[in-house]
Amino acid sequence: MQFPFDVISAEEYDRQRESYVPLTDALRRLIDAGIHTAVDEATVAQALAHLSAATELLEGEQRTATSTLRHADTGRPLAWANPAVGLRNAIAPPMIIQHEADGTCWSEFTLGPAYEGPPGWVHGGICALLLDHILGEVASEGLNQPKFTGTISVKYLRGTHLGRVRAEAFVERSEGVKTYARGYLKDDEGITVEADGVFIKPAWARDAG
Amino acid sequence: MQFPFDVISAEEYDRQRESYVPLTDALRRLIDAGIHTAVDEATVAQALAHLSAATELLEGEQRTATSTLRHADTGRPLAWANPAVGLRNAIAPPMIIQHEADGTCWSEFTLGPAYEGPPGWVHGGICALLLDHILGEVASEGLNQPKFTGTISVKYLRGTHLGRVRAEAFVERSEGVKTYARGYLKDDEGITVEADGVFIKPAWARDAG
């Protein structure tokens, strides 16, 4: 389970980002429009024709996705396709994670109708997805160290309002191959969800130190 | 936090389902096509024009989503917009949950490139999202009883292969306002992730018995 990677130059990164990020943002708007649309059958058929044409265009050339892309300058994996943080995955809010000098991570982003569970509130499982990701990222030093989630416990203090939220995470301690991380999700009224996770360095990476 | 609901007739349910589910399925294919597309700028621009036209069409009439729809015959909430099980939310795989007579729940479905974390494997947070949902559904008797997640612990035994997976859940025991549920995610080689959750009947629903 050792993952291969390719390096992408800063220039090529900027080119792809400029070209593909607006496409993903347009898809996010379309997902939202689709969830609660009440248009008639004829209008749905017209929309379907556009979706089909767009799909055919985008499937014209596909990147072989068997490896992780790393940025030439930062060395960091891009995680462009990631369902929590991927700039190129319309499922991701995306959560754009900031790495502080002290190793902590945080992100502020908006959760719209696509992430709704009970009316007006974020689905609890979406909170778990996002906290799992940010805890994993803080534990693996920005995905630079191979680490896998062993266990994660998520405690719901109260509902999280849809809208602007903040996620944050830090490492509590490390013991041998285990790293203990903790994090929070907050809405405009404070902490709504707490998470604790144990992340483990896989056996194949242990000899490398 | 008491949620209002509207009833939808069986006939209207069928009509809406027939009209909107193909739209959501087309969006799922489009999300996948977008993640790894490598087409040139001019082709992206053509695709964007189609997405923009489709969004405008679908935004032409939107359902006011301040209430939960319940099916007139079954009484069950539709959860059409739900990010785990929603037939009308392109973010959802969707996980279509089967309810057995003994109260257990299960679902078999496919996780494609939109749910990928490390190359070839399901993102751990996606496993947490899906298990949180199915445990919540088994604990609330198919979303018929108001129950909120108190805590959920997710234990990753190994990576989950992208592709066909199975989720299952059952109630271990109930004590007063608390229901303890447990579940698993399995790929073609067996159990990959275990989850235990405590679900709590909210204060406002306790008097109702």
Side-chain angles (χ1 to χ4, degrees), chain B residues 158-175:
Chain B
R158 60 173 179 80
T160 305
H161 291 288
L162 278 187
R164 200 75 185 155
V165 298
R166 178 185 170 95
E168 47 191 54
F170 57 93
V171 169
E172 277 197 322
R173 64 185 195 283
S174 291
E175 284 171 17

Side-chain angles (χ1 to χ4, degrees), chain A residues 5 23 28 30 39 46-47 53 57 67 87 94 98 117 123 133 137-138 150 165 169 180 187:
Chain A
F5 61 87
L23 180 70
R28 291 194 181 99
L30 189 50
V39 297
Q46 280 179 280
L57 285 165
S67 60
L87 292 178
Q98 311 297 325
H123 188 293
H133 187 92
E137 191 147 331
V138 83
V165 298
Y180 295 82
D187 66 11

